[in-house]
Amino acid sequence: MAFRPLHDRVLVRRVEEDEKTAGGIIIPDTAKEKPQQGEVVAVGSGARGDDNEIVPLEVKSGDRILFGKWSGTEVKLDGEDLLIMKESDILGILD
């Protein structure tokens, strides 16, 4: 299914973290926190500025991002769990 977010919204796929700590301890699924990193899957056209012009988004498809713990709305598309969030919920782009 093709999906394109509207305006300043971004579709994000969470990036799974390692199941082991740096010390080699395996973390069970029940103790794991949801990852706060993701990959941008699709972006909207941009938000409207004060002058009614469309301001393009700074993120693009394929960017790895960092976002807040409670950011976005969880959706399921084609059996895959994804997040839809506003660009303002994104804390930064990982290089």
Side-chain angles (χ1 to χ4, degrees):
M1 170 190 313
F3 180 82
R4 185 176 56 90
L6 296 175
H7 309 294
D8 64 338
R9 289 186 171 71
V10 179
L11 185 66
V12 177
R13 176 184 303 120
R14 287 187 193 267
V15 175
E16 295 300 322
E17 295 179 356
D18 293 335
E19 295 184 9
K20 285 186 181 180
T21 64
I25 299 171
I26 297 174
I27 303 170
D29 288 339
T30 56
K32 281 188 199 175
E33 290 188 9
K34 290 185 178 179
Q36 292 178 267
Q37 291 183 25
E39 179 184 350
V40 176
V41 177
V43 296
S45 58
R48 291 215 180 261
D50 293 333
D51 56 357
N52 212 21
E53 293 290 320
I54 293 180
V55 179
L57 302 181
E58 290 191 39
V59 296
K60 59 187 181 305
S61 293
D63 283 350
R64 285 184 59 107
I65 59 167
L66 186 67
F67 52 87
K69 186 179 267 189
W70 307 109
S71 297
T73 302
E74 294 181 353
V75 295
K76 191 169 223 163
L77 294 173
D78 291 336
E80 186 176 13
D81 291 325
L82 301 168
L83 287 171
I84 298 176
M85 65 181 69
K86 287 189 167 227
E87 186 184 37
S88 60
D89 291 338
I90 297 173
L91 304 176
I93 301 172
L94 302 170
D95 291 328

